[in-house]
Amino acid sequence: MAQQEDVFKKLVAHCKEYGFVFPSSEIYDGLGAVYDYGQNGVELKNNIKKYWWDAMVKLNDNVVGLDSAIFMHPTIWKASGHVDAFNDPLIDNKDSKKRYRADVLIEEQMAKFDDKIEKEINKAKKKFGDEFDEAKFRETNPNVLREQAKKDALHARFSKALNDNNLEELRQIIIDEEIVCPISGTKNWTEVRQFNLMFSTEMGSTADGAMKIYLRPETAQGIFVNFLNVQKTGRMKIPFGIAQIGKAFRNEIVARQFIFRMREFEQMEMQFFVRPGEEMKWFDYWKSFRLKWHKALGMGDENYQYHDHDKLAHYANAATDIEFRMPFGFKEVEGIHSRTDFDLSSHAKYSGKKIEYFDPELNKSYTPYVIETSIGVDRMFLSILAGAYKEEALEGGDTRVVLRLPAVLAPVKLAVLPLIKKDGLPEKAREIMNTMKLEFNCQYDEKDSIGKRYRRQDAIGTPFCVTVDHQTLEDNTVTVRYRDTMQQERINIDALHAMISKQVTGAELFKKLLE
Ligand code: GAP
């Protein structure tokens, strides 16, 4: 675990050093849980958004896009339930004066049981080698069974407390489990209180009677309130979806782990409107489609898992997270929720407008049910970087830091490098660059040895380095050096575009989604 934390610290430092992520307002000592994306970060972020948008909107002919405003009528947040129920249960340690989310403290306690089980399994794996049968070991080993039973009991108690909204019981669990504050090391806890996560501001001058408005905590509501606009103007037939990418804001109290939990972040959300009664079929469909989308990136299928929710949000009748194995354990990257007709019905009630769909096949009107897929751009960004960051030992005792980013997401697709700065090589390299940059994000670099230049590109995850040498001037070939294998290959300049295009455009990945 300590080793993993170490890797995570190095990743955070790497993000800064190579222009991926900077703390916001850094020259003023930063602003808690707010970050800026640098020259490479913004490219990676844009590529993530494009991969999502194309997979959702371009690939599904019944999904269309939207870009709604951040500021919305305040009643929207009353109707959505956020004013009354968008709360986190908080607890303070009286000695350290640090504030924690009570549910997170308990989840971390449950994860400790998993760690213990994992340790037992790893020990046995080493001892028994190829003979080892993990499933049987889990079913029979007394230590594993004991830890699993403790976890299950805690899990059942925790779920009940959450579902009953029982804050006293949450506190009692923390006391009974002897959870200590990581800073003070004491069990001196306050009561658990609810805290609303929405930021508010004022619109209009006070003289006119300013209106209190909220910065949206999710992009979803902008979709619901535009349901009729899009359905009617696009002549959309159910089932259909509306997708949107945009900023969301939450006054997170426990904002830790870099860009994992931020106060200003970006979401990619899609609401899929279906006939009542068909929601579970579509819930399963989108659950599977979304996992395929993640896995198509080739970061390792074993690094993803589903996690069903213990406590359903006020609007949902089913919910699953897609989790990724971060350096600090499996964590939620995306949520898939069956939101029933809660939002549309509630907006109909609060606005006084009829929000229904006339289904020509059934010859009747109804309020559609909704399946939502919701993923944080920043959290996806972190999961991709965490999976891609590698420190590798090379032959001869050397090491390299490489970002094994999926080529489709890499900020720079190819670097063009003249072997030396004379003999017409820079001019030839520029010529190649000028053709390639019409389609790909390229970098030109002529400084330092070729080895150093390769390392710089490895560190930002550039999949291809194209080196121009004297032979290039004679036979129109270049050396392509591949980031992951570090193998080199001589190829004709005329073949370069097709080779790179095949790897860096989404088409190959999208084929996997449609299989
Ligand atoms: N509309 C549903 C919704 O907002 P959510 O589970 O609260 O559901 C969806 O959020 C996704 O948004 C999460 O899976 C996560 O990727 C991202 N997200 C939520 N809060 C975040 C935060 N404070 N910082 C970064 N990403 C966040």
Side-chain angles (χ1 to χ4, degrees):
M1 205 63 187
Q3 206 185 355
Q4 287 295 304
E5 275 165 24
D6 207 33
V7 172
F8 189 57
K9 273 193 197 140
K10 286 188 189 166
L11 175 65
V12 175
H14 190 87
C15 279
K16 169 128 194 265
E17 188 180 347
Y18 287 92
F20 282 90
V21 183
F22 306 128
S24 158
S25 325
E26 199 184 4
I27 59 169
Y28 292 96
D29 298 330
L31 184 67
V34 187
Y35 291 89
D36 298 337
Y37 287 84
Q39 66 279 15
N40 288 315
V42 67
E43 296 290 344
L44 173 55
K45 206 173 175 215
N46 284 342
N47 292 340
I48 290 173
K49 289 193 262 186
K50 182 166 165 48
Y51 176 52
W52 184 85
W53 189 266
D54 286 353
M56 300 301 278
V57 179
K58 208 163 81 174
L59 228 55
N60 293 287
D61 34 3
N62 56 357
V63 177
V64 293
L66 177 77
D67 184 13
S68 70
I70 289 172
F71 292 155
M72 292 195 274
H73 196 285
T75 311
I76 287 175
W77 303 111
K78 190 77 193 149
S80 68
H82 284 81
V83 170
D84 296 321
F86 194 52
N87 301 319
D88 273 348
L90 299 182
I91 189 165
D92 292 25
N93 182 270
K94 291 183 193 164
D95 300 317
S96 68
K97 308 273 183 274
K98 287 278 170 202
R99 183 162 289 176
Y100 299 91
R101 269 176 59 175
D103 54 335
V104 172
L105 286 179
I106 299 170
E107 277 167 8
E108 284 172 357
Q109 181 73 0
M110 287 196 294
K112 285 186 186 156
F113 295 119
D114 286 332
D115 287 347
K116 282 187 192 160
I117 293 173
E118 210 59 34
K119 262 193 201 139
E120 289 291 340
I121 290 172
N122 287 339
K123 227 166 53 187
K125 250 186 209 159
K126 268 197 198 137
K127 190 168 159 196
F128 297 113
D130 291 344
E131 308 286 286
F132 184 61
D133 178 346
E134 185 175 325
K136 195 156 173 221
F137 186 78
R138 279 182 185 273
E139 278 168 26
T140 52
N141 180 275
N143 293 345
V144 170
L145 290 175
R146 190 186 55 244
E147 296 304 324
Q148 189 62 46
K150 279 194 213 162
K151 184 188 162 189
D152 292 345
L154 175 56
H155 186 247
R157 195 175 165 198
F158 174 53
S159 298
K160 184 163 176 1
L162 281 182
N163 281 314
D164 296 349
N165 228 346
N166 188 340
L167 301 183
E168 270 171 37
E169 174 68 352
L170 282 181
R171 180 173 190 273
Q172 199 52 50
I173 294 175
I174 290 171
I175 304 289
D176 293 349
E177 289 293 321
E178 303 192 336
I179 296 174
V180 295
C181 163
I183 307 289
S184 67
T186 70
K187 294 174 252 175
N188 197 5
W189 297 107
T190 62
E191 299 304 305
V192 176
R193 284 167 300 116
Q194 293 287 25
F195 178 85
N196 193 284
L197 297 180
M198 280 197 295
F199 283 104
S200 63
T201 184
E202 293 195 338
M203 186 177 264
S205 78
T206 359
D208 303 337
M211 177 159 67
K212 178 178 175 182
I213 56 166
Y214 297 99
L215 272 69
R216 65 180 179 199
E218 61 170 16
T219 64
Q221 298 305 321
I223 296 180
F224 294 126
V225 297
N226 277 294
F227 167 77
L228 286 179
N229 284 338
V230 174
Q231 191 273 316
K232 288 197 161 45
T233 57
R235 292 182 290 116
M236 305 304 292
K237 295 216 168 10
I238 273 182
F240 75 91
I242 305 178
Q244 157 153 257
I245 299 178
K247 289 269 179 153
F249 305 83
R250 296 182 189 179
N251 195 3
E252 300 281 2
I253 293 308
V254 184
R256 274 184 297 155
Q257 287 154 335
F258 192 38
I259 56 172
F260 183 77
R261 203 176 294 289
M262 302 158 87
R263 295 200 167 104
E264 173 180 340
F265 57 102
E266 218 168 344
Q267 287 186 316
M268 306 188 281
E269 299 201 297
M270 194 266 315
Q271 311 297 326
F272 196 72
F273 301 93
V274 304
R275 279 182 187 161
E278 293 193 352
E279 69 272 19
M280 283 309 151
K281 177 178 94 183
W282 288 110
F283 178 71
D284 290 341
Y285 172 84
W286 284 109
K287 211 174 124 171
S288 141
F289 184 89
R290 293 302 307 147
L291 188 62
K292 271 200 217 168
W293 180 87
H294 286 277
K295 288 186 173 173
L297 289 170
M299 307 292 295
D301 289 2
E302 68 287 0
N303 291 321
Y304 298 91
Q305 67 182 26
Y306 289 125
H307 170 81
D308 294 330
H309 283 205
D310 288 324
K311 185 193 177 196
L312 292 176
H314 56 273
Y315 48 71
N317 68 358
T320 300
D321 293 336
I322 293 176
E323 296 185 334
F324 182 80
R325 194 198 300 266
M326 300 275 193
F328 40 90
F330 271 101
K331 294 285 168 199
E332 171 190 348
V333 174
E334 170 156 8
I336 296 131
H337 310 122
S338 171
R339 289 182 80 124
T340 67
D341 61 351
F342 172 84
D343 301 272
L344 292 183
S345 298
S346 191
H347 287 305
K349 191 172 122 203
Y350 277 82
S351 67
K353 306 278 184 321
K354 190 172 160 196
I355 307 181
E356 287 188 351
Y357 170 77
F358 176 74
D359 193 323
E361 280 174 34
L362 301 180
N363 196 27
K364 67 170 190 183
S365 293
Y366 53 78
T367 308
Y369 271 47
V370 173
I371 305 303
E372 166 184 78
T373 71
S374 174
I375 171 168
V377 179
D378 315 85
R379 218 172 261 190
M380 177 71 189
F381 184 106
L382 181 60
S383 70
I384 291 295
L385 276 183
Y389 181 88
K390 304 277 178 249
E391 290 172 7
E392 294 178 353
L394 303 176
E395 276 171 26
D398 213 0
T399 56
R400 71 164 180 164
V401 171
V402 54
L403 292 185
R404 288 173 171 266
L405 293 170
V408 69
L409 301 183
V412 177
K413 305 302 184 198
L414 77 154
V416 187
L417 319 169
L419 188 63
I420 52 171
K421 264 194 272 182
K422 54 182 187 179
D423 302 339
L425 301 189
E427 289 76 9
K428 185 69 188 167
R430 286 274 180 205
E431 193 186 306
I432 297 172
M433 169 97 180
N434 285 341
T435 331
M436 292 296 159
K437 77 180 182 192
L438 297 177
E439 204 163 334
F440 312 120
N441 195 21
C442 311
Q443 247 180 32
Y444 175 85
D445 191 0
E446 57 178 26
K447 196 169 171 287
D448 298 324
S449 71
I450 199 77
K452 274 195 182 154
R453 283 183 269 170
Y454 285 157
R455 291 290 170 276
R456 278 203 287 271
Q457 295 301 329
D458 287 346
I460 62 166
T462 307
F464 309 104
C465 285
V466 171
T467 304
V468 174
D469 57 19
H470 292 94
Q471 195 184 329
T472 310
L473 304 180
E474 285 162 24
D475 64 4
N476 206 40
T477 63
V478 285
T479 304
V480 176
R481 184 257 192 191
Y482 299 97
R483 177 195 68 200
D484 294 346
T485 57
M486 293 191 289
Q487 304 255 301
Q488 303 192 8
E489 192 182 13
R490 198 88 206 165
I491 80 166
N492 196 291
I493 293 173
D494 299 337
L496 206 53
H497 179 275
M499 186 278 287
I500 292 171
S501 185
K502 191 161 188 288
Q503 309 273 344
V504 306
T505 50
E508 293 303 314
L509 306 192
F510 294 146
K511 278 185 205 158
K512 290 190 209 165
L513 295 187
L514 297 178
E515 271 164 15

